[in-house]
């Protein structure tokens, strides 16, 4: 956690480099009366995530690992299962084959039943956004009011565990979806500090990203994915994976120091291992991590 003034200045610096002001955000009311529906949608997201992971194209995780700095040669170097969760999330939402992400391909080729909770969530996934957010207020047991540092917009994030533990001024990098107008994360949220923020700024400037895009509020899907990779890479390089927080379907807080069962970014036991061995996760890195634990 670091000061809200720094996050505000960081956002201002990025927007100033773009030479354009962002649009004014529209605060969202606290959805305290929608927690029950939130639980249903999060459980649907968990089921859908497992389905998407099982259909990832060959080589997608390797390519994602390179973009996130999690690959050495053709071998994954993961310090924790949490980094694997971040890898899976990025692969699902940002890696493209024939111009489509796994989410877009699911919508086009094997969509859930019309009107199902899975379809509601999948459509929201197609409009997901990844950014850095600053906690501006906390509604205990419900969630947090966030400000999108890049877009200078506010929203209310329904997240029971974060609503129980977060404090004003806490900053995190995460992906947000909004099924039925209920804002929720897609799984692992990476905490940010000043050091990580500076790493991200340096990477964005070094790659010439801002000169190419002109504005952070009007990015193409490919540009969104590039920015997401820069943010995640900076966070992981700064050690954020050791402090990842998850929200389970029943609202319990899950962190790297506890048994992990991320709701929408976990590695299913029967999924291909992200190390590329060709074995199932439970027979490869999952087995090794259990023995180390």
């Amino acid at each position: 956690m670091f000061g809200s003034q720094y996050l505000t200045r960081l956002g201002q610096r990025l927007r100033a480099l773009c030479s354009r002001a962002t649009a004014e955000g529209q605060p969202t009311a606290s959805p305290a009366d929608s927690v029950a529906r939130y639980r249903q949608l999060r459980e649907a997201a968990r089921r859908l995530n497992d389905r998407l992971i099982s259909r990832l194209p060959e080589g997608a995780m390797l390519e994602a690992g390179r973009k996130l700095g999690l690959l050495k040669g053709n071998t994954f170097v993961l310090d924790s299962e949490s980094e694997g969760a971040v890898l899976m999330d990025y692969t699902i939402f940002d890696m493209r084959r024939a111009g489509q992400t796994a989410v877009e391909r699911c919508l086009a080729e094997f969509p859930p039943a019309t009107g199902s909770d899975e379809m509601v969530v999948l459509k929201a996934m197609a409009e997901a956004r990844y950014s850095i957010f600053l906690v501006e207020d906390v509604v205990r047991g419900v969630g947090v009011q966030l400000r999108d540092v890049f877009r200078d917009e506010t929203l209310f994030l329904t997240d029971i565990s974060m609503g129980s533990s977060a404090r004003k001024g806490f900053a995190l990098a995460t992906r947000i979806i909004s099924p039925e107008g209920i804002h929720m994360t897609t799984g692992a949220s990476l905490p940010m500090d000043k050091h990580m923020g500076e790493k991200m700024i340096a990477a964005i400037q070094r790659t010439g990203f801002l000169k190419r895009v002109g504005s952070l509020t009007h990015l193409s899907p490919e540009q969104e994915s590039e920015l997401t990779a820069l943010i995640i890479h900076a966070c992981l390089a700064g050690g954020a994976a050791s402090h990842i927080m998850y929200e389970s379907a029943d609202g319990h807080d899950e962190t790297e120091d506890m048994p992990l069962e991320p709701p929408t970014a976990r590695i299913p036991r029967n999924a291909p291992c992200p190390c590329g061995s060709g074995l199932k996760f439970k027979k490869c890195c999952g087995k090794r991590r259990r023995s180390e634990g």
Side-chain angles (χ1 to χ4, degrees), residues 46-253:
R46 185 195 63 77
R47 296 192 299 269
L48 183 59
N49 186 76
D50 289 350
R51 183 179 181 183
L52 290 168
I53 289 175
S54 69
R55 292 175 178 261
L56 287 175
E58 184 178 357
M61 282 188 288
L62 283 172
E63 187 177 346
R66 289 191 183 94
K67 290 180 179 292
L68 301 182
L70 296 174
L71 207 64
K72 184 175 292 185
N74 286 323
T75 303
F76 278 95
V77 181
L78 304 176
D79 291 334
S80 68
E81 187 172 337
S82 294
E83 290 187 348
V86 174
L87 171 67
M88 284 294 186
D89 185 77
Y90 185 83
T91 305
I92 289 170
F93 284 91
D94 295 294
M95 296 309 303
R96 291 174 173 79
R97 289 290 185 271
Q100 287 186 318
T101 65
V103 172
E104 294 164 342
R105 189 164 51 256
C106 183
L107 269 174
E109 299 177 6
F110 49 97
T114 300
S116 65
D117 285 352
E118 284 82 359
M119 177 58 88
V120 170
V121 172
L122 184 62
K123 288 181 176 179
M125 283 180 166
E127 299 179 357
R129 60 165 156 169
Y130 198 99
S131 191
I132 299 172
F133 298 90
L134 177 69
V135 175
E136 293 191 332
D137 199 8
V138 179
V139 178
R140 293 300 172 192
V142 180
V144 291
Q145 188 78 12
L146 299 178
R147 178 168 296 277
D148 187 325
V149 172
F150 291 158
R151 300 168 181 83
D152 197 26
E153 298 171 350
T154 60
L155 59 89
F156 188 89
L157 178 72
T158 304
D159 190 298
I160 297 169
S161 64
M162 200 174 296
S164 301
S165 60
R167 291 179 289 172
K168 292 182 182 180
F170 179 80
L172 64 152
T174 195
R175 194 184 311 272
I176 289 180
I177 59 174
S178 305
E180 297 182 354
I182 300 174
H183 304 298
M184 62 179 70
T185 68
T186 58
S189 297
L190 294 163
M192 283 203 76
D193 60 18
K194 184 175 180 178
H195 173 66
M196 297 171 199
E198 293 299 331
K199 276 183 171 290
M200 181 195 65
I201 289 280
I204 288 175
Q205 291 180 311
R206 184 177 62 253
T207 59
F209 178 78
L210 294 179
K211 291 181 179 179
R212 287 185 279 110
V213 304
S215 171
L216 291 173
T217 59
H218 301 288
L219 300 178
S220 69
E222 291 76 14
Q223 290 168 340
E224 290 271 7
S225 295
E226 184 179 355
L227 178 60
T228 298
L230 291 170
I231 296 171
I232 294 175
H233 193 291
C235 289
L236 294 181
S242 61
H243 302 288
I244 286 179
M245 290 181 60
Y246 301 99
E247 169 82 339
S248 63
D250 60 4
H252 288 126
D253 178 19

Side-chain angles (χ1 to χ4, degrees), residues 17-37:
L17 288 168
C18 290
S19 299
R20 286 181 64 176
T22 59
E24 288 295 323
Q26 296 296 323
T28 306
S30 168
D33 57 349
S34 61
V35 170
R37 182 56 178 153

